[in-house]
Amino acid sequence: MPSRAWLFCALSVLLIVNAFVPLAAQSVEIFGWAGGAARLFGIGIVYYVASFALVKIGLDAEQTSPNRADLFVALAGICLALLPLHWLAKGALVPLAGYLIATSRRYSAEWRMGVILAAIAAAVIFGALLLTAFATPLLDLDGAMVRLVTGAAGSGNIVDTVASPGSGSIERVVVLADCSSIRNISQATILWASMTQLFRVPITRQLIGAGLVAMLTIVVINTARIAAYVYYPQHYARFHSETFSSLIGLASLLVTMAIIAWGILREPVRRPG
């Protein structure tokens, strides 16, 4: 029988894979297998980082046998993961994360997995619900930040550009859900959880502060990206291209990782038992 950590590690990865099957299938349908793979099947790289962290934690875990409750939870999770209802796989991440955190010793392998799963659940479920329920005020806030930085006119989630009427350039930018800072902040949260738990760093106020700085930096980068549309509307197609968006995403990822790593390195050299 697999150890408790390996059991929940395998279940966690299975649920994550199931949750993103529709997105991966859509990527393959549009770009083919080679193109889809080059684009990571449309899945954010932070989810690959999180999956790597889960597997690495499972490999390094103590060989503790699962109890009956563990087996029941694992069996229920496997059943949900094998159903072609991918929203169930996403939903199952919430109780699984809660179960691991509640029933595991603090900073044990299973507890650390629970923290990572909680961050993933917050991104794929609560982040999406937040954008659905409060889309208007959240997108309006993004628009207001861009107007504050650029001094542009507009209202709500609409920002006027510097384009001259009749110039052929876009005259206004509409901030939609895909450009929302909330979406990017949720990915920074996953990265923070994955890195801190992978290196078994105790969660301190200083480390939480580093995570907040990383999230704020993500907001700044996202605001600057939209501001570029306002200042250089003639280059909107180039700025909005897949290549440019990928470069901005990579820059955001590297900056976020650097800030979180800085926070981790500033912590005392100690590992929880």
Side-chain angles (χ1 to χ4, degrees), residues 226-248:
I226 302 175
Y229 303 157
V230 176
Y231 280 127
Y232 305 102
Q234 67 273 22
H235 298 299
Y236 175 81
R238 183 178 301 171
F239 288 157
H240 207 257
S241 66
E242 182 181 351
T243 300
F244 187 81
S245 297
S246 298
L247 290 174
I248 290 293

Side-chain angles (χ1 to χ4, degrees), residues 178-199:
D178 286 341
C179 298
S180 172
S181 295
I182 292 295
R183 187 181 299 277
N184 297 318
I185 286 174
S186 63
Q187 296 198 0
T189 305
I190 295 174
L191 194 58
W192 178 86
S194 300
M195 290 178 65
T196 56
Q197 299 315 303
L198 178 61
F199 296 107

Side-chain angles (χ1 to χ4, degrees), residues 62-267:
E62 298 177 1
Q63 299 298 310
T64 304
S65 298
N67 56 38
R68 289 185 179 180
D70 294 336
L71 294 175
F72 175 79
V73 170
L75 179 61
I78 291 171
C79 291
L80 291 176
L82 294 179
L83 290 175
L85 300 173
H86 307 289
W87 58 270
L88 276 178
K90 292 182 180 180
L93 292 172
V94 177
L96 179 58
Y99 177 79
L100 289 176
I101 292 173
T103 62
S104 305
R105 177 172 50 85
R106 188 174 177 83
Y107 294 116
S108 65
E110 296 86 349
W111 187 91
R112 290 153 59 204
M113 289 180 189
V115 172
I116 296 174
L117 290 177
I120 296 175
V124 301
I125 299 174
F126 299 116
L129 290 176
L130 193 64
L131 271 176
T132 300
F134 302 100
T136 298
L138 289 174
L139 296 179
D140 287 354
L141 179 60
D142 279 316
M145 287 190 294
V146 174
R147 289 193 296 273
L148 178 65
V149 170
T150 61
S155 63
N157 65 327
I158 299 176
V159 185
D160 294 340
T161 74
V162 298
S164 302
S167 65
S169 299
I170 60 167
E171 297 182 8
R172 60 184 54 85
V173 174
V174 181
V175 183
L176 301 177
D178 286 341
C179 298
S180 172
S181 295
I182 292 295
R183 187 181 299 277
N184 297 318
I185 286 174
S186 63
Q187 296 198 0
T189 305
I190 295 174
L191 194 58
W192 178 86
S194 300
M195 290 178 65
T196 56
Q197 299 315 303
L198 178 61
F199 296 107
R200 298 187 65 189
V201 182
I203 299 176
T204 63
R205 285 183 296 179
Q206 181 171 286
L207 201 58
I208 292 174
L212 293 175
V213 171
M215 294 175 195
L216 179 60
T217 303
I218 288 293
V219 174
V220 171
I221 293 175
N222 191 60
T223 302
R225 177 176 64 87
I226 302 175
Y229 303 157
V230 176
Y231 280 127
Y232 305 102
Q234 67 273 22
H235 298 299
Y236 175 81
R238 183 178 301 171
F239 288 157
H240 207 257
S241 66
E242 182 181 351
T243 300
F244 187 81
S245 297
S246 298
L247 290 174
I248 290 293
L250 179 60
S252 300
L253 176 71
L254 293 176
V255 170
T256 303
M257 289 182 68
I259 294 172
I260 297 171
W262 170 80
I264 291 174
L265 292 174
R266 284 176 58 86
E267 287 294 314

Side-chain angles (χ1 to χ4, degrees), residues 47-59:
Y47 296 101
Y48 291 97
V49 173
S51 298
F52 170 80
L54 288 168
V55 173
K56 186 66 169 64
I57 290 171
L59 283 172

